[in-house]
Amino acid sequence: MDKTFSPILWEDNHLKLLDQTKLPSEEIWLDCTTPQHVADAILCLAVRGAPSIGVAAAYGVILGVQGVAESELENAFHDTASFLEGTRPTAVNLRWAIEQGRQVFAKTSNQGTQAVCDALLDLAHRLKAQEIASCQQMGQFGSELFDDGNRVLTHCNAGALATVGYGTALGVIRAAWENGKKVEVWVDETRPLLQGARLNSWELKQLGIPFHVIPDNSAGAIMSRGWVDRIVVGADRIAANGDAANKIGTYSVAVLAQHHNVPFYVAAPLSTIDLDTATGADIPIEERNPDEVTNILGQQQITPDDTLAMNLAFDVTPNDLIAAIITEMGVLKPPYTESIKDAFERAQSN
Amino acid sequence: MDKTFSPILWEDNHLKLLDQTKLPSEEIWLDCTTPQHVADAILCLAVRGAPSIGVAAAYGVILGVQGVAESELENAFHDTASFLEGTRPTAVNLRWAIEQGRQVFAKTSNQGTQAVCDALLDLAHRLKAQEIASCQQMGQFGSELFDDGNRVLTHCNAGALATVGYGTALGVIRAAWENGKKVEVWVDETRPLLQGARLNSWELKQLGIPFHVIPDNSAGAIMSRGWVDRIVVGADRIAANGDAANKIGTYSVAVLAQHHNVPFYVAAPLSTIDLDTATGADIPIEERNPDEVTNILGQQQITPDDTLAMNLAFDVTPNDLIAAIITEMGVLKPPYTESIKDAFERAQSN
């Protein structure tokens, strides 16, 4: 996997997405030619991970306005933007990307459909490039937190697939590796959709970084044996006070980390931090179809018929369990209300 | 599921085991006519759960001596006993049942093959009846720890399937329910072999007790929402100081319980407590085939080829995370070294 790999491509006036539901057994690219295609891909998690969802949506709005009559442009854009914005509630990058699209539209809508499309495409390309550059930058900052030989546990996939390219949590691990630190990775399999077992394995194997997959419930036992030196995860939304929503199970890992005195890091770009969300209590948590729990990857029913299940997609890790938030503006430390505010100020003055 | 249900039956001079690897989709009874059949059933977890393994082995030794010539009796018995004793290392009930078989053999071996078989069958029937009676008794003691309306989380299956009949952890929940307490159950699915999703669901559905299955990694999030009032699990071996080995993931649940001030109970008969094991550090932890993690129930590969996985079958919960141990001799409280010793003394004087 080279540094330019991305699961999100724009080719021949449409969006191509590497279908993450089919990995690792099949590498299939979806051709999205309508906003509905993009929404379907987001909803079924063919594209997933907060930064990837945001960038896919930024490209997706173009599909709703390409070639429409000037008289329909305003409605077509806003309908598409709202439609895609509503696909998933937790990740803030989606709203953030759509909001930037709205600003671009406001500036260009009087110049006609083609100009709007050109400007939206410029924006999507720019957001994509920014996300990848942010990952590489946070990788360099985060790499400093790792020692040679560290055994690093991660939960869910916050790699190149989730983040348009390079990765956040997996990017930090990758940067440490590329900087010559011989790290090894514990991969939480991440039920119900097994993003760890399927996607981290797929990425780490290509990167040549040694790893073991474990059932999520093994993390505590592995920590109690002294086998975990660092933990790093991504985030879907970080509140202004540092509370971080991420894939269900992250919170359990954070509590276990505290119990075992293992540093617990969150790696995410500033685009994942929402200053309008005061605390984790204000982050909406998506509840997904229970069939994802009772029927593994839609292929294997594991419970009796009509069994009820609870399928929370995310949980919130409170800021006091987070040793640092690794961003493209540096490694933020508690108190996060101050360090986050400072990072945004530095980013704006750049 | 009535009170007499058991997954372990002796019929027509052989052992019948309800194949727990096939539940809930199929109810298939295995006919075990040789010790190898029983060993295979133990190794592949067709029969599982510390008390069920012990009783299956008690019946299993009979299959190694039935009909053998008097001159072969001594070797046949001891070879079979050692063979079955070696199938799984963690559960102490297996060693305990085999040891009782050795004592019976020592007393009857001079009376010929048929007398030995009759005595071993008496023993196996007695152990089975004792385990079920113990479960029902601990159910009554444990029921007192639950309030009407409690939401109870359990991990792995410690129900009738695991314990010859009625259940330990699930038996306590069942007794509370039968005593009129409207409890609801959170069922950890229990990766990798999904004993919670498959077997607890199968039992609870028949009992009519309401439940939801959750991915193991959701337990922390569910507790943080205040949705869990009690936790009760079984055990595969309890050390003299109260440290308890149970299915992988139990320790993580116990740490989360402490963090959220939720009482964490272990329900197990005295046959699961090993006074010869001083602390949890002395309990051997079985490591099983990594394929159980990377390939779900042998049917669905979830990782790239050649992915390494770590498959610890059990973990140890230290006694300071356990609010009480529920036994057939009453509810034991810390300090466990004293309360366990006292329970054994009371049992012997009965």
Side-chain angles (χ1 to χ4, degrees):
Chain A
M1 180 182 286
D2 68 24
K3 289 205 176 188
T4 64
F5 165 80
S6 176
I8 301 181
L9 303 174
W10 181 264
E11 285 180 11
D12 301 328
N13 297 316
H14 75 283
L15 183 62
K16 294 183 62 140
L17 299 173
L18 180 56
D19 187 348
Q20 300 187 35
T21 67
K22 297 291 190 300
L23 290 174
S25 57
E26 296 176 283
E27 296 183 20
I28 294 172
W29 289 83
L30 301 174
D31 290 295
C32 299
T33 58
T34 68
Q36 186 67 53
H37 290 161
V38 179
D40 290 346
I42 292 172
L43 287 166
C44 80
L45 310 195
V47 59
R48 47 152 291 284
S52 283
I53 293 170
V55 170
Y59 285 110
V61 290
I62 302 167
L63 301 172
V65 291
Q66 274 184 152
V68 303
E70 306 284 318
S71 60
E72 299 297 324
L73 185 57
E74 184 93 14
N75 282 344
F77 173 80
H78 288 296
D79 288 355
T80 306
S82 299
F83 171 60
L84 290 174
E85 190 177 28
T87 47
R88 296 194 71 190
T90 301
V92 73
N93 308 58
L94 173 58
R95 290 196 300 133
W96 177 83
I98 294 290
E99 195 49 44
Q100 298 217 35
R102 289 196 179 102
Q103 290 173 21
V104 163
F105 182 80
K107 284 186 195 155
T108 56
S109 62
N110 61 353
Q111 299 166 36
T113 299
Q114 191 55 49
V116 165
C117 288
D118 290 347
L120 289 173
L121 188 59
D122 274 352
L123 170 67
H125 286 334
R126 198 166 66 242
L127 293 181
K128 176 178 169 177
Q130 277 175 4
E131 293 290 5
I132 296 173
S134 292
C135 286
Q136 291 174 344
Q137 187 59 61
M138 85 180 68
Q140 293 311 313
F141 286 123
S143 172
E144 298 298 313
L145 300 170
F146 294 80
D147 294 327
D148 192 44
N150 272 177
R151 295 153 299 181
V152 186
L153 185 142
T154 190
H155 186 78
C156 200
N157 170 262
L161 292 164
T163 66
V164 203
Y166 200 78
T168 53
L170 226 50
V172 169
I173 293 169
R174 178 177 176 173
W177 177 262
E178 289 168 352
N179 290 337
K181 296 177 180 178
K182 296 290 176 206
V183 296
E184 295 185 27
V185 185
W186 293 110
V187 173
D188 269 6
E189 64 174 1
T190 318
R191 279 280 288 150
L193 295 179
L194 298 162
Q195 291 92 338
R198 295 189 301 109
L199 307 179
N200 284 344
S201 298
W202 185 80
E203 294 197 29
L204 288 166
K205 189 179 175 184
Q206 290 180 68
L207 294 168
I209 302 173
F211 67 98
H212 282 81
V213 173
I214 55 171
D216 301 320
N217 64 29
S218 307
I222 302 259
M223 286 186 222
S224 75
R225 293 175 175 223
W227 291 352
V228 180
D229 303 301
R230 301 283 187 278
I231 296 165
V232 60
V233 300
D236 292 81
R237 188 189 304 198
I238 299 174
N241 72 341
D243 293 349
N246 191 46
K247 178 54 53 194
I248 187 73
T250 303
Y251 169 69
S252 292
V253 171
V255 171
L256 290 163
Q258 181 187 56
H259 189 82
H260 297 93
N261 292 312
V262 177
F264 178 91
Y265 303 124
V266 174
L270 294 194
S271 62
T272 297
I273 303 177
D274 183 14
L275 296 178
D276 294 335
T277 300
T279 75
D282 304 313
I283 302 177
I285 298 297
E286 178 182 5
E287 193 176 329
R288 292 179 62 84
N289 191 325
D291 289 353
E292 291 181 348
V293 176
T294 58
N295 198 317
I296 291 182
L297 304 176
Q299 292 176 42
Q300 193 176 357
Q301 183 175 321
I302 58 170
T303 60
D305 291 341
D306 305 320
T307 292
L308 299 178
M310 168 73 70
N311 186 14
L312 301 171
F314 304 97
D315 56 28
V316 174
T317 299
N319 57 18
D320 63 336
L321 297 178
I322 301 171
I325 300 175
I326 305 164
T327 77
E328 73 274 29
M329 292 304 295
V331 174
L332 313 187
K333 293 288 183 78
Y336 292 112
T337 305
E338 282 72 36
S339 57
I340 286 173
K341 198 172 154 216
D342 172 65
F344 272 91
E345 285 169 2
R346 285 186 286 118
Q348 278 169 349
S349 68
N350 271 4
Chain B
M1 179 183 288
D2 68 22
K3 290 205 177 190
T4 63
F5 166 79
S6 176
I8 301 179
L9 304 174
W10 181 264
E11 285 180 13
D12 301 328
N13 297 318
H14 75 283
L15 183 62
K16 293 182 63 135
L17 299 174
L18 180 56
D19 186 347
Q20 300 187 35
T21 66
K22 298 291 191 298
L23 291 173
S25 56
E26 297 177 282
E27 296 183 20
I28 294 172
W29 288 83
L30 301 174
D31 290 296
C32 299
T33 57
T34 68
Q36 185 67 53
H37 290 160
V38 179
D40 290 345
I42 292 173
L43 287 167
C44 81
L45 310 195
V47 59
R48 47 152 292 284
S52 284
I53 294 170
V55 170
Y59 285 111
V61 291
I62 302 167
L63 301 172
V65 292
Q66 274 184 154
V68 302
E70 306 284 318
S71 60
E72 299 297 324
L73 186 56
E74 184 93 14
N75 283 344
F77 173 79
H78 288 294
D79 288 353
T80 305
S82 300
F83 171 60
L84 290 174
E85 190 177 28
T87 47
R88 295 194 72 190
T90 302
V92 73
N93 308 59
L94 173 59
R95 290 196 299 135
W96 178 83
I98 293 291
E99 194 49 44
Q100 298 217 35
R102 289 196 179 103
Q103 289 173 22
V104 163
F105 182 80
K107 284 186 195 153
T108 56
S109 62
N110 60 353
Q111 298 166 37
T113 299
Q114 191 55 49
V116 165
C117 287
D118 290 346
L120 289 173
L121 188 59
D122 274 352
L123 170 68
H125 285 335
R126 197 165 69 243
L127 293 181
K128 176 177 170 177
Q130 277 175 5
E131 293 289 5
I132 296 173
S134 292
C135 285
Q136 291 174 344
Q137 187 61 60
M138 83 180 69
Q140 293 312 312
F141 286 123
S143 172
E144 297 298 313
L145 299 171
F146 294 81
D147 294 327
D148 193 43
N150 271 177
R151 295 153 300 181
V152 186
L153 186 143
T154 191
H155 186 79
C156 200
N157 170 263
L161 292 164
T163 65
V164 203
Y166 200 77
T168 53
L170 226 51
V172 170
I173 293 170
R174 178 176 176 173
W177 177 262
E178 289 167 354
N179 290 338
K181 296 178 180 177
K182 296 290 177 208
V183 295
E184 295 186 28
V185 185
W186 293 111
V187 173
D188 268 4
E189 64 174 1
T190 317
R191 279 279 288 147
L193 295 179
L194 298 162
Q195 290 92 340
R198 296 189 300 110
L199 307 180
N200 284 344
S201 298
W202 187 81
E203 294 197 29
L204 288 166
K205 188 178 175 186
Q206 290 180 68
L207 294 167
I209 302 173
F211 67 97
H212 282 81
V213 173
I214 55 171
D216 300 319
N217 64 29
S218 306
I222 302 258
M223 287 186 222
S224 75
R225 292 175 175 222
W227 291 351
V228 180
D229 304 300
R230 301 282 188 277
I231 296 165
V232 60
V233 299
D236 292 81
R237 188 189 305 198
I238 299 174
N241 72 342
D243 293 349
N246 191 44
K247 179 54 55 195
I248 187 74
T250 302
Y251 168 69
S252 292
V253 172
V255 170
L256 290 163
Q258 182 187 55
H259 189 82
H260 296 93
N261 291 311
V262 177
F264 178 92
Y265 303 124
V266 174
L270 294 194
S271 61
T272 297
I273 303 177
D274 183 15
L275 297 179
D276 294 334
T277 300
T279 75
D282 304 312
I283 302 176
I285 298 297
E286 178 182 4
E287 194 176 329
R288 292 179 62 85
N289 192 324
D291 289 353
E292 291 181 348
V293 176
T294 58
N295 198 318
I296 291 182
L297 304 176
Q299 291 176 42
Q300 194 176 355
Q301 183 175 320
I302 57 170
T303 60
D305 291 341
D306 306 319
T307 293
L308 299 178
M310 167 74 69
N311 186 14
L312 300 171
F314 303 97
D315 57 29
V316 174
T317 299
N319 58 16
D320 62 337
L321 297 178
I322 301 170
I325 300 175
I326 305 164
T327 76
E328 73 273 29
M329 292 304 296
V331 174
L332 313 187
K333 292 288 182 77
Y336 292 112
T337 305
E338 282 72 36
S339 57
I340 286 174
K341 198 172 154 217
D342 172 66
F344 273 91
E345 285 169 2
R346 285 186 288 118
Q348 277 169 349
S349 68
N350 270 4

